[in-house]
């Protein structure tokens, strides 16, 4: 683990390096969208409920189309799937930016969700298949940090641009969103350089693939348990994460620039924390790392709900985001290791389905609760859901990881 990340990246496959560049430009656009879209909709006169529905459609579409995306990914290959994902994300952002009316808003949300589904489902198995075993955990951490750092830049620059451009506020939002939507198309250019051999099956039976996914769940209790934990975390995150900018603006009184700055610094600290994850995993193991860090994040969730000072809230946001999200590389690598190569896209799809569908329902609940019952209550509910998920994850998978380590040691002796 003394080897530098720069040295590791140089030794990784050209496919991975192309993907990291594509991911950077993709999440640059997504980061800007995360800061501005909710505020853009509210500036156009829509309330928290419409924002909640927009987010719910995006998340539900991401989840419900994840299984078909996984099947198509297995058929068409990662390169095709990743490119199509970025294309639909960019089109979704542009549609929202230049067309008015609820139909355009919700269609944009659908296209955005479709793109996220295809892109997000393809990424974990792509990394698992293209990274050498000794660099696999680091590859997931590098990808995570690239995503976070790119998100940070999108958060910060878009928030600043929306305030300093010399037009009226709605046009400022439109110009900014257009620029960052185009960055997702730039990502496609890097994906073109990926080289892969697609299976190219002559017959393609969607029903048979669906049966294969069902059998994957039925024959392995660990997959069911993993999906339960992932779904609970998704429900908790959906209550608060998509509406963080609304929370900061209406509950703490933050400006658009402050919101962009807070979210960008949060992404930066999370990106740095993600690079530390492999070192913690080396000492604690994947399951204990996920458990310990997620438990530590809960008190900071409570602090966000209770505090009213913008600076103290910002610090709590930074720490909570870092602790909770730096566990993702360890959890993803652990998850992909539970199944064989042919089932990784399917498992990735199942994980995205339960997470996104859970978020789609809870973001509706979060929008309703914030509009009618107050801004703090969703945070308390999320604390409870996170605690339940963490305890279940540890109880179910600590022995699984020990058995896998014991098996590897036995094979090496």
């Amino acid at each position: 683990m003394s080897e530098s990340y720069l040295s590791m990246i140089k030794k990784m496959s050209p496919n991975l390096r192309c993907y990291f560049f594509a991911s950077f430009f993709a999440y640059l656009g997504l980061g800007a969208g995360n800061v501005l879209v909710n505020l853009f909709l509210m500036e156009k006169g829509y309330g928290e409920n419409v924002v909640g529905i927009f987010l719910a459609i995006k998340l539900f579409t991401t989840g419900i189309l994840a299984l078909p995306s996984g099947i198509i990914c297995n058929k068409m290959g990662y390169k095709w799937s990743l490119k199509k994902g970025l294309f639909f994300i960019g089109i979704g952002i542009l549609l929202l930016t230049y067309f008015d009316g609820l139909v355009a808003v919700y269609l944009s949300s659908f296209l955005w969700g479709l793109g996220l589904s295809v892109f997000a489902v393809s990424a974990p198995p792509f990394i698992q298949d293209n990274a050498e075993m000794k660099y696999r955990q680091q590859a997931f951490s590098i990808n995570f940090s690239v995503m976070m750092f790119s998100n940070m830049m999108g958060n910060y620059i878009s928030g600043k641009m929306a305030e300093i451009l010399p037009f009226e506020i709605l046009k400022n939002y439109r110009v900014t969103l257009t620029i960052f939507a185009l960055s997702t198309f730039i990502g496609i250019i890097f994906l073109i350089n990926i080289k892969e051999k697609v299976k190219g099956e002559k017959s393609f039976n969607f029903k048979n693939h669906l049966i294969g996914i069902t059998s994957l769940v039925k024959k392995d209790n660990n997959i069911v348990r993993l999906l339960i934990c992932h779904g609970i975390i998704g429900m908790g995150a959906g209550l608060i994460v998509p509406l963080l900018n609304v929370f900061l603006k209406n509950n703490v009184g933050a400006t658009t620039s402050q919101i962009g700055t807070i979210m960008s610094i949060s992404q930066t600290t999370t990106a740095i924390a993600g690079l530390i994850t492999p070192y913690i995993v080396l000492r604690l193991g994947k399951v204990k790392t996920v458990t310990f860090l997620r438990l530590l994040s809960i008190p900071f969730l409570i602090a966000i709900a209770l505090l009213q000072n913008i600076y103290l809230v910002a610090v709590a946001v930074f720490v909570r985001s870092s602790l909770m999200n730096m566990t993702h590389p360890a959890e993803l690598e652990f998850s992909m290791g539970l199944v064989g190569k042919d089932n990784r896209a399917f498992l990735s799809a199942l994980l995205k389905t339960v997470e996104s569908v859970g978020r789609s329902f809870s973001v509706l609940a979060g929008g309703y609760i914030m509009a009618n019952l107050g801004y703090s209550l969703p945070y308390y509910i999320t604390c409870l859901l996170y605690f339940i998920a963490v305890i279940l994850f540890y109880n179910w998978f600590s022995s699984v990881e020990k058995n896998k380590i014991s098996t590897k040691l036995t094979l090496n002796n």
Side-chain angles (χ1 to χ4, degrees), residues 129-156:
D129 287 1
N130 283 274
E132 293 181 50
M133 176 69 76
K134 62 180 178 179
Y135 294 131
R136 194 164 284 161
Q137 183 63 71
Q138 289 86 345
F140 276 99
S141 292
I142 290 168
N143 177 59
F144 176 77
S145 293
V146 168
M147 288 164 50
M148 292 297 104
F149 182 72
S150 178
N151 254 308
M152 174 274 294
M153 291 185 65
N155 291 163
Y156 181 77

Side-chain angles (χ1 to χ4, degrees), residues 210-341:
L210 203 56
I211 292 172
I213 294 174
T214 305
S215 66
L216 174 66
V217 175
K218 286 182 177 178
K219 71 182 181 182
D220 193 342
N221 284 336
N222 287 329
I223 301 302
V224 176
R225 290 171 172 176
L226 186 67
L227 294 174
I228 290 172
C229 294
H230 216 66
I232 296 173
I233 291 291
M235 289 176 63
L239 286 170
I240 59 169
V241 175
L243 297 166
L244 175 62
N245 50 2
V246 176
F247 173 88
L248 291 173
K249 182 176 183 179
N250 294 346
N251 191 61
V252 190
T255 65
T256 303
S257 179
Q258 286 176 325
I259 292 170
T261 301
I262 289 170
M263 294 180 73
S264 64
I265 295 175
S266 175
Q267 301 288 356
T268 303
T269 56
T270 303
I272 294 170
L275 294 175
I276 302 170
T277 301
Y279 298 91
I280 302 175
V281 168
L282 189 65
R283 295 182 65 87
L284 299 181
K286 298 180 185 73
V287 173
K288 283 186 178 179
T289 296
V290 172
T291 302
F292 178 66
L293 294 176
R294 287 183 174 175
L295 282 176
L296 276 182
S297 75
I298 292 176
F300 294 95
L301 265 178
I302 298 172
I304 294 170
L306 290 176
L307 299 172
Q308 288 294 309
N309 182 283
I310 182 64
Y311 300 105
L312 295 177
V313 170
V315 171
V317 169
F318 304 155
V319 179
R320 185 217 75 85
S321 177
S322 298
L323 290 171
M324 189 67 189
N325 292 309
M326 69 187 290
T327 63
H328 288 176
E331 185 193 25
L332 270 179
E333 203 274 333
F334 176 78
S335 302
M336 292 296 103
L338 290 176
V339 297
K341 180 177 180 178

